[in-house]
Amino acid sequence: MEATQRLLEIMAKLRDPDKGCPWDLRQTYDTIVPYTLEEAYEVADTIQRGEMDELRDELGDLLFQIAFYSQIAREEGHFDFNDVASGICEKMIRRHPHVFADAEYQSDEQLRQAWEQQKAEERAGQKQSSPASHMDGVAHALPALIRAEKLQKRAARVGFDWPDPQGAFDKVSEEFDEVRHELENFNRQQLQDELGDLIFAMVNVVRLLGMDAEQTLTQANMKFERRFRALEQTLLQQGITDLQTQSLEQLDAVWEQVKKAEQQN
């Protein structure tokens, strides 16, 4: 608690109208958001790399973002850091009656359903400017793949879902054909729309197979980067430093060589 209080005092001093930091004083909720997203991704990156010392530092950076928002809100008379902490404490206790009360669940599925029901009741109790929807609460700022999966899961709760992965995969084939058709016509807006449908349909397949779309694409990104770096190293060993001097066929041949070597290890 002593360190937390020190952090809040530092944040307040940075925002002091007379002696604070000019940069910190200029910031608003909106201007801080990009930094918050960046810090969250850096936390995820250090976890994937297993760097615990870095993780401690990155978590500190993320905590600072929360202190920053809370300080601005305190200045405006909305809430402060303590209100934020108290709110999450109350929420976690309320959502875990099997831990903090006498509720009992017979399976993980019952536990999940109770958790979702509690969240739905909380959303229903919040002020709504329009009728409640099962789509409420899925943040627009989420990465698109994560948001697609969450939207699909919300629809699935009311039975609007494919019965199995095969049905979802058949939909991917249908969307692929529509993309092929638009490629022939090349109406840019329509093509983008169909490409979006194709990606969304593919997320459905991944979800119904019990996998995570964001993690799946992250792994693909890492594999591509690893193989491309190996391609660069292979060419460098051949004395080739400028990849642009190589034809696509030459680069592809090295790429296949890298893939084969990786699969054999």
Side-chain angles (χ1 to χ4, degrees), residues 92-142:
M92 289 300 101
I93 291 172
R94 186 170 62 248
R95 291 186 180 179
H96 293 82
H98 54 296
V99 176
F100 300 103
D102 56 0
E104 294 184 5
Y105 304 112
Q106 301 304 314
S107 65
D108 287 345
E109 179 58 22
Q110 283 189 4
L111 178 59
R112 186 194 67 78
Q113 290 178 358
W115 173 272
E116 295 297 343
Q117 179 62 31
Q118 178 61 44
K119 288 171 63 177
E121 292 174 0
E122 290 171 5
R123 287 194 298 270
Q126 296 172 348
K127 293 181 179 179
Q128 298 276 351
S129 57
S130 58
S133 166
H134 289 283
M135 298 291 120
D136 288 345
V138 182
H140 288 80
L142 286 170

Side-chain angles (χ1 to χ4, degrees), residues 7-17 20 71 74-75:
L7 170 63
L8 298 179
E9 290 172 355
I10 290 171
M11 188 69 254
K13 192 167 185 178
L14 289 171
R15 291 276 300 182
D16 183 275
Q71 175 62 28
R74 187 180 73 81
E75 294 167 4

Side-chain angles (χ1 to χ4, degrees), residues 33 37 135-148 150-151:
V33 167
L37 294 175
M135 298 291 120
D136 288 345
V138 182
H140 288 80
L142 286 170
L145 283 181
I146 295 177
R147 191 162 194 269
K150 285 184 175 292
L151 291 172

